[in-house]
Amino acid sequence: MRPCRVLVVEDDLGIAGQLARGLRRAGHEVTVASTGAEALSASTCDVVLLDLGLPDIDGFEVCRQLRERSDVAILAVTARGEQADRVAALDLGADDYLVKPFGFAELLARIRAVLRRAQPADTGSITHGGLTVDMRARRVSVDGREVMLTAKEFDILECLAVDPGRVVPRQEIFERAWDAHWYGPTKVLDVHIVALRRKLGDPDLVQTVYGRGFRLRPAR
Ligand code: CA
């Protein structure tokens, strides 16, 4: 997932802090607002993670006002599991909702999904030399020949393709393609890279930059 700006609207400071730390580890820029008023006066962002139970303004009203003024992606967070609340949030313009408690991997997946829907142009396709990566359809081709990748191989290639030529640190690939809390063996990444090179049919397209990470071969 490419880094984005997330506004976390949450009055429980413990939860807000935890979310902010996790999202920052995943590479995102995070602003925290602990009231509805703060949320409505916060600067531009890509995604709002909006707790509906706020101390000052009703969360539904915050949702409505945010939607009125921009088409930012809104992910409503509710402790109340009632279906009526979820429907109300969606009716007021939320793109999706999460019911507390939720896991971090689920949160990242929902953010990815709402961003894909909110910014289709941003996640279109990337062409780099003979390589084409279609972010939305998750398809890859080299010189017009479709390459079948596993989901993980695609995620890794996506990390590199969003900014061809930039060296992407191993840690960043783990955080984006696995999740923020990958403590397994890191050799698994090298195994996927080997498979990716073989499938792309151009061993030098994905380059290893020793001690730093990987990148796509810069365009000539
Ligand atoms: Ca709350």
Side-chain angles (χ1 to χ4, degrees), residues 99-156:
V99 178
K100 285 180 185 173
F102 51 83
F104 203 73
E106 183 186 3
L107 169 63
L108 291 179
R110 294 294 179 92
I111 289 178
R112 262 198 297 272
V114 294
L115 282 180
R116 262 201 296 272
R117 287 201 293 269
Q119 305 168 330
D122 252 33
T123 51
S125 71
I126 289 171
T127 303
H128 179 67
L131 173 72
T132 302
V133 181
D134 184 333
M135 306 298 202
R136 222 169 338 165
R138 293 179 63 87
R139 292 164 83 123
V140 174
S141 64
V142 175
D143 298 328
R145 170 185 60 92
E146 182 158 11
V147 180
M148 305 305 286
L149 299 182
T150 64
K152 197 58 82 185
E153 288 160 3
F154 183 89
D155 290 343
I156 294 167

Side-chain angles (χ1 to χ4, degrees), residues 7 37 49 59 62 92 94 96 102 115 156 168 178 186 200 204 207:
L7 172 63
L49 194 59
V62 175
L92 290 170
D96 201 355
F102 51 83
L115 282 180
I156 294 167
V168 185
W178 273 259
T186 63
L200 294 174
D204 188 46
Q207 299 181 326

Side-chain angles (χ1 to χ4, degrees), residues 150-218:
T150 64
K152 197 58 82 185
E153 288 160 3
F154 183 89
D155 290 343
I156 294 167
L157 182 61
E158 187 182 24
C159 290
L160 304 176
V162 289
D163 191 358
R166 179 172 85 91
V167 178
V168 185
R170 297 174 65 92
Q171 190 53 36
E172 189 176 324
I173 298 176
F174 275 113
E175 287 171 357
R176 296 210 215 159
W178 273 259
D179 69 36
H181 308 284
W182 174 259
Y183 297 116
T186 63
K187 201 175 167 357
V188 68
L189 173 57
D190 301 278
V191 174
H192 286 297
I193 293 276
V194 168
L196 194 52
R197 282 184 180 134
R198 182 170 43 76
K199 290 184 181 179
L200 294 174
D202 179 353
D204 188 46
L205 184 56
V206 176
Q207 299 181 326
T208 304
V209 180
Y210 286 101
R212 292 176 60 203
F214 300 95
R215 69 172 173 195
L216 288 192
R217 180 180 56 222

Side-chain angles (χ1 to χ4, degrees), residues 10-12 51 53-54 100:
E10 171 60 71
D11 60 310
D12 182 321
D51 179 26
L54 294 170
K100 285 180 185 173

